Amino acid sequence: MADVLKRIPVREQDAKERATNFEEVCYGYNKEEAMEEAARCLNCKNAKCIEGCPVSINIPGFISQVKEGNIEEAYKVIGESSALPAICGRVCPQESQCECKCIRGIKGDPVSIGKLERFVADYALENDIKPVKAEKTNGHKVAVIGSGPSGLTCAGDLAKLGYEVTVFEALHELGGVLVYGIPEFRLPKHKVVKKEIEKVKELGVKFETNVVIGKSTTIDQLMEEEDFEAVFIGSGAGLPMFMGIPGETANGVFSANEYLTRSNLMKAFDDSYDTPIVAGKKVAVVGGGNVAMDAARTALRLGAEVHIVYRRSEAELPARVEEVHHAKEEGVIFDLLTNPKEILVDDNGWVKGMKVIKMELGEPDASGRRRPVEVPGSEYEIELDTVIMSLGTSPNPLIASTTKGLETNRRKCIVAEEENGQTSKAAVFAGGDAVTGAATVILAMGAGKAGAKGIHELLSK
Amino acid sequence: MYKILKAEKLADKIYLMDVEAPRVAKHCEPGQFVIVKMDEKGERIPLTICDYDREAGTITIVFQEIGASTMKMSKMIAGDYFRDFIGPLGRPSDFVEEDLETLKNKKMLFVAGGVGAAPVYPQVKWLKEHGVEVDVIVGSKTKDMLILEKKMNEVAGNYYPCTDDGTYGHAGMVTTKIEKLVEEGNKYDVCIAIGPMIMMKFTCLLTKKLEIPTIVSMNPIMVDGTGMCGACRVIVGGEVKFACVDGPEFDGHLVDFDNAMKRQQMYRTEEGRAILKVQEGDTHHGGCGNCGGDN
Ligand SMILES: Cc1cc2nc3c(=O)[nH]c(=O)nc-3n(C[C@H](O)[C@H](O)[C@H](O)COP(=O)(O)OP(=O)(O)OC[C@H]3O[C@@H](n4cnc5c(N)ncnc54)[C@H](O)[C@@H]3O)c2cc1C
Ligand SMILES: Cc1cc2nc3c(=O)[nH]c(=O)nc-3n(C[C@H](O)[C@H](O)[C@H](O)COP(=O)(O)OP(=O)(O)OC[C@H]3O[C@@H](n4cnc5c(N)ncnc54)[C@H](O)[C@@H]3O)c2cc1C
Ligand code: SF4
Ligand code: SF4
Ligand code: FES
Ligand SMILES: [Mg+2]
């Protein structure tokens, strides 16, 4: 019998092997492993884990079904709260959400809630278990802008209530960051994202790709000319930031968004696709979040030596622990407490290196983290051919600037109520990264749910 | 899927297509562009809107075959479909927003180079429809490469064709024609130059000397065209701009053309390889089920 304090380990692709391919890193549990892990759950009466989940999945409820081997039942329990469990099971920062509240975590490892959720969801995808659909439509038309997790969740919830929902997406594929940002090796596109979106389609949601709201049409026009009674904006925070240092427009300097979009959305890593990518031989990724880890691990797989250049220390890395761990295992080098000053450019306009400076941690700043300060005289140069800037993103102003009466804040985020997504404009709701700035999949889903609730309250009056 | 209603060869390696795209046709203005994607595996290719018919719901594009993707695209025929057709993108030309009376009192000079005649056309046409007559210089290497001549002549006030080899119209580069017109006493309040980067650069050097404010349409490498990737960065007046959302039209006297020209070369190796792949018999058309050309 296994030690109940320890979680059942999950099988992963060997680090050396996976550093050269785009196949998924983590294989997930099989049924026996899942049932065994599920048996570790104490089925707590006052389950703290639920409090940690932004969409309040009935965690002991679904886990107890897994324990009994009733995977279909487990899927139904999860389905009450989440439309995208195969995705959340993979990319949620569980260690700081559901799992960090788990009672098992006090003495040993918390229950692997995320991995169990993933197992149940994958099982449902493989066995094509259908979500429960509304019996008939209620005749109300709602438009959802953006097909990321917030938009998909809002659309799915409204469709279940009988609304006629159309999702408008600017790109040629559905999924938002799930398809253009998060790499294949962490979140398979065909096997997982597409299939999970298929389930939202099965609920009756219509999708129109290639529609850039603010350009192809506007929110006001959707309401006045196409009879949409309410609109949910889930347009994300897609605008990349740069540092503003010399040399940043040189060839070989990319935003993480561009690098990842070329690789994920346009599949540049696959030779049969037409979009090119400059892989780089020696790459620096500037930043320390999930996006930086994804860009670094992508560059590594394309054959480069990769350095993460981050101005604080390891403890402050904003990326998930699991991602940092995987990146290290695969061979990504961490140049911590280091900050770029200038990108060095050769005569043909290509990156040839970067001038950086050493940093040390000073007093805590507004975010509570110790503020990095330059160590005088510690500049040095590193040789490179590629720099990927991963400094964060902000909401695209396109929608706000073309919608009358839609209020935004100083950070260009759309202002919306947390509990129902209501914006400053009548019948217009918003949520996800467009409102909070770059955050997480599950928070965006929570906001999509709140928006659906707000719209339902408005239209069912 | 977006149906090609008409596909026509205008000159050597230059093609025109009318494509069904009602949402784009309803909302586009001169100066804007679309992004097309031929099939599942295709690149996203930005192309200027060259004409539009709001009633019919169609957009006209004109493109030059210069690499792997445009080579494939040139093989598409009426009845074929683009998998994706996105737009209108970018900001309309400034004059669309300007007061018409002020505009009528302005003397405008359009300068088009090569396939640049295509993006110039909808602007000149729009102005004509709003009662503004403008001068248009269109340059090409040789007579056979001159495109849209009849259409342009219909909407332009004065139309000045030029050929580098002197086979038609004014003999010489467009810049020499600008100089000549100014020498002849023409005064221009604004110049709008669209064409190859190098032509826009030299036009701007000249118009700066002649003190004619000049607008250019930048065509950097793009991916999404919505402000998400930053691939389209151009330096304008020392500041970094995203051409797909802040442009594509900018004050030509502030553009850093040298940087822009270097950035256009970024994928030269990869693009060269892709062309070879197409030429070596990877070309196919219709019925393969791969490129969407079969439905
Ligand atoms: C590389 C990367 C890795 C990440 N890793 C993780 C992780 O491991 N775990 C985690 O929880 N979170 C992660 N995140 C964050 C997470 O993906 C986002 O917080 C989440 O996707 C936000 O969802 P959203 O629905 O608000 O917006 P998005 O997912 O950004 O979707 C917005 C959609 O709206 C579309 N859109 C935008 N403007 C318009 C318009 N004008 N008209 C029509 N459509 C429009 C966009 O094209 C996009 O498809 C990561 C983000 C990135 C970039
Ligand atoms: C706003 C805008 C409007 C444009 N309008 C027109 C037009 O009306 N007619 C026309 O013929 N061309 C136009 N172009 C250029 C056109 O997009 C490129 O010629 C085309 O993408 C080349 O593709 P390729 O694969 O055939 O050639 P490649 O061999 O891949 O590239 C040849 C050259 O084209 C440029 N290029 C390559 N990929 C891109 C890309 N994704 N985005 C932009 N440029 C690229 C580069 O300079 C490159 O060196 C426009 C570009 C922009 C940005
Ligand atoms: S959705 Fe995320 S936070 Fe909620 S239970 Fe699943 S993994 Fe945990
Ligand atoms: S807190 Fe942990 S042990 Fe308790 S119900 Fe939740 S997952 Fe199970
Ligand atoms: S093309 Fe991506 S930001 Fe302009
Ligand atoms: Mg190409």
Side-chain angles (χ1 to χ4, degrees):
Chain A
M1 185 65 202
D3 179 356
V4 292
L5 293 180
K6 290 241 154 38
R7 46 173 57 170
I8 301 297
V10 69
R11 287 163 292 116
E12 286 180 350
Q13 212 197 136
D14 174 70
K16 272 219 187 69
E17 184 88 18
R18 69 178 193 247
T20 61
N21 68 43
F22 281 83
E23 306 296 317
E24 195 170 10
V25 169
C26 173
Y27 292 132
Y29 286 146
N30 59 27
K31 194 166 172 184
E32 286 87 70
E33 290 163 340
M35 286 171 69
E36 211 176 318
E37 177 65 15
R40 293 183 59 232
C41 171
L42 302 170
N43 201 358
C44 309
K45 282 249 147 40
N46 175 18
K48 292 279 183 224
C49 53
I50 302 179
E51 286 168 28
C53 171
V55 296
S56 310
I57 289 180
N58 179 356
I59 295 168
F62 97 78
I63 294 184
S64 55
Q65 294 293 348
V66 176
K67 206 185 302 183
E68 303 300 321
N70 302 328
I71 313 304
E72 200 161 335
E73 287 306 312
Y75 180 66
K76 281 193 194 137
V77 176
I78 298 175
E80 287 162 16
S81 319
S82 171
L84 311 170
I87 294 165
C88 294
R90 285 174 166 82
V91 304
C92 257
Q94 292 106 12
E95 66 279 8
S96 57
Q97 292 178 341
C98 51
E99 292 177 12
C100 86
K101 297 275 172 77
C102 173
I103 217 85
R104 273 278 185 216
I106 297 175
K107 278 212 192 112
D109 292 340
V111 175
S112 280
I113 301 169
K115 298 282 188 292
L116 288 172
E117 182 178 343
R118 167 187 162 156
F119 166 74
V120 171
D122 283 0
Y123 180 92
L125 292 180
E126 274 157 31
N127 295 283
D128 203 24
I129 299 168
K130 303 263 186 249
V132 189
K133 201 172 154 171
E135 305 211 323
K136 61 184 183 51
T137 65
N138 62 21
H140 291 292
K141 277 179 76 180
V142 178
V144 169
I145 301 170
S147 62
S150 67
L152 289 172
T153 302
C154 183
D157 275 18
L158 287 170
K160 280 191 205 157
L161 292 167
Y163 289 87
E164 286 178 33
V165 187
T166 307
V167 177
F168 295 96
E169 169 55 51
L171 292 171
H172 61 270
E173 292 289 350
L174 303 171
V177 169
L178 307 177
V179 293
Y180 80 72
I182 305 179
E184 182 72 22
F185 54 84
R186 239 170 20 95
L187 187 61
K189 307 303 162 216
H190 252 277
K191 203 178 97 200
V192 177
V193 182
K194 244 206 176 111
K195 283 215 187 137
E196 214 141 72
I197 292 173
E198 248 357 275
K199 299 248 175 272
V200 181
K201 281 189 187 156
E202 278 161 15
L203 292 170
V205 174
K206 289 196 211 92
F207 288 91
E208 208 184 312
T209 49
N210 301 329
V211 181
V212 185
I213 302 297
K215 290 287 179 189
S216 313
T217 186
T218 63
I219 287 181
D220 293 303
Q221 283 165 333
L222 284 177
M223 298 177 89
E224 284 157 24
E225 296 168 13
E226 299 190 33
D227 303 321
F228 287 101
E229 294 163 73
V231 177
F232 177 82
I233 307 170
S235 53
L239 215 69
M241 292 179 213
F242 286 90
M243 291 187 87
I245 56 173
E248 230 171 356
T249 55
N251 288 356
V253 183
F254 307 93
S255 73
N257 269 9
E258 178 183 356
Y259 202 78
L260 290 168
T261 298
R262 283 181 183 276
S263 180
N264 299 325
L265 181 69
M266 307 311 295
K267 307 235 181 311
F269 69 84
D270 178 341
D271 264 350
S272 70
Y273 284 76
D274 296 340
T275 302
I277 193 163
V278 175
K281 288 199 174 59
K282 194 169 170 196
V283 178
V285 178
V286 182
N290 281 324
V291 184
M293 296 308 137
D294 284 344
R297 296 170 69 198
T298 297
L300 190 91
R301 281 163 172 75
L302 292 170
E305 173 188 322
V306 185
H307 294 248
I308 290 268
V309 175
Y310 179 60
R311 63 195 179 121
R312 303 181 199 247
S313 75
E314 173 145 5
E316 288 83 16
L317 280 170
R320 289 186 62 192
V321 180
E322 182 180 337
E323 303 310 324
V324 176
H325 170 73
H326 278 152
K328 280 190 178 164
E329 266 186 354
E330 288 164 12
V332 172
I333 301 156
F334 284 73
D335 296 347
L336 300 167
L337 289 165
T338 306
N339 205 30
K341 295 287 277 184
E342 181 184 349
I343 292 162
L344 309 167
V345 187
D346 73 13
D347 295 339
N348 299 317
W350 276 91
V351 172
K352 64 173 182 190
M354 190 157 76
K355 188 195 272 179
V356 296
I357 187 162
K358 278 276 160 210
M359 309 292 280
E360 59 191 8
L361 294 179
E363 295 299 305
D365 64 11
S367 74
R369 295 179 301 177
R370 290 173 65 196
R371 202 163 61 89
V373 287
E374 293 183 353
V375 178
S378 67
E379 285 101 339
Y380 65 101
E381 288 178 5
I382 41 183
E383 221 177 281
L384 296 165
D385 57 14
T386 306
V387 179
I388 301 172
M389 291 294 179
S390 179
L391 307 155
T393 53
S394 64
N396 192 321
L398 195 53
I399 289 178
S401 65
T402 53
T403 310
K404 275 174 259 153
L406 187 67
E407 203 184 308
T408 52
N409 67 18
R410 201 171 32 83
R411 291 160 47 227
K412 301 210 173 70
C413 298
I414 296 171
V415 178
E417 305 281 347
E418 201 176 321
E419 68 274 17
N420 61 11
Q422 178 67 55
T423 66
S424 58
K425 189 176 167 81
V428 176
F429 298 75
D433 284 5
V435 169
T436 55
T440 62
V441 171
I442 193 66
L443 285 172
M445 285 181 53
K449 276 195 146 349
K453 190 169 133 259
I455 289 173
H456 182 51
E457 272 161 16
L458 174 77
L459 298 183
S460 61
K461 260 203 297 236
Chain B
M1 301 287 266
Y2 304 78
K3 192 173 188 177
I4 301 175
L5 300 178
K6 180 167 109 183
E8 202 181 289
K9 188 167 184 174
L10 295 181
D12 184 35
K13 293 196 186 318
I14 301 179
Y15 301 82
L16 174 147
M17 284 177 183
D18 285 348
V19 184
E20 215 169 51
R23 277 200 195 275
V24 188
K26 188 167 173 206
H27 295 97
C28 67
E29 299 286 358
Q32 293 188 290
F33 65 96
V34 292
I35 283 186
V36 309
K37 189 167 176 291
M38 275 180 278
D39 51 47
E40 176 72 30
K41 299 188 171 181
E43 289 186 88
R44 290 171 66 100
I45 305 170
L47 296 169
T48 313
I49 294 169
C50 165
D51 204 354
Y52 50 90
D53 184 333
R54 300 215 199 278
E55 261 87 75
T58 58
I59 295 287
T60 306
I61 50 174
V62 171
F63 64 93
Q64 186 166 22
E65 186 188 325
I66 56 163
S69 294
T70 45
M71 213 177 272
K72 280 191 205 165
M73 210 161 101
S74 70
K75 307 237 162 40
M76 293 176 91
I77 55 169
D80 284 351
Y81 290 82
F82 282 105
R83 182 190 186 273
D84 302 286
F85 197 93
I86 306 112
L89 299 170
R91 295 173 34 185
S93 304
D94 284 344
F95 61 73
V96 173
E97 306 278 313
E98 250 176 277
D99 173 53
L100 266 185
E101 288 315 305
T102 333
L103 212 53
K104 279 179 190 160
N105 292 325
K106 263 192 188 169
K107 188 92 172 104
M108 296 170 89
L109 173 67
F110 281 84
V111 182
V115 74
V120 162
Y121 174 72
Q123 305 200 7
V124 177
K125 181 179 165 191
W126 188 96
L127 288 161
K128 167 89 174 177
E129 283 169 359
H130 289 80
V132 185
E133 296 246 310
V134 300
D135 288 359
V136 182
I137 299 176
V138 179
S140 82
K141 282 205 182 74
T142 179
K143 178 166 191 287
D144 294 341
M145 301 280 289
L146 211 58
I147 56 165
L148 303 173
E149 172 151 58
K150 189 160 155 280
K151 285 178 104 173
M152 192 73 90
N153 222 336
E154 277 166 23
V155 293
N158 295 304
Y159 170 68
Y160 306 108
C162 312
T163 50
D164 295 357
D165 66 357
T167 43
Y168 186 66
H170 169 86
M173 308 266 199
V174 290
T175 41
T176 60
K177 184 67 192 175
I178 302 173
E179 270 179 315
K180 193 145 169 258
L181 286 172
V182 171
E183 272 165 29
E184 285 166 4
N186 290 287
K187 285 208 160 45
Y188 294 104
D189 299 303
V190 60
C191 166
I192 294 147
I194 308 182
M197 208 79 94
I198 191 81
M199 172 220 118
M200 294 194 286
K201 175 181 168 174
F202 282 102
T203 300
C204 286
L205 287 174
L206 174 67
T207 57
K208 193 158 191 181
K209 216 169 61 195
L210 299 171
E211 294 177 358
I212 308 170
T214 300
I215 290 163
V216 294
S217 182
M218 298 301 284
N219 52 356
I221 290 174
M222 293 188 174
V223 185
D224 61 302
T226 67
M228 184 266 276
C229 75
C232 61
R233 306 202 287 296
V234 288
I235 304 177
V236 183
E239 270 180 63
V240 175
K241 301 276 182 191
F242 289 5
C244 71
V245 284
D246 302 325
E249 298 188 348
F250 293 104
D251 180 340
H253 294 164
L254 298 178
V255 168
D256 182 340
F257 283 104
D258 294 336
N259 178 263
M261 285 192 282
K262 279 180 184 152
R263 284 187 64 80
Q264 271 195 332
Q265 306 293 319
M266 182 131 48
Y267 294 95
R268 204 147 83 181
T269 322
E270 290 78 9
E271 285 159 357
R273 252 186 249 133
I275 293 170
L276 283 178
K277 211 166 122 190
V278 173
Q279 284 169 343
E280 279 165 7
D282 207 11
T283 35
H284 55 255
H285 182 65
C288 71
N290 247 335
C291 66
D294 58 334
N295 43 18

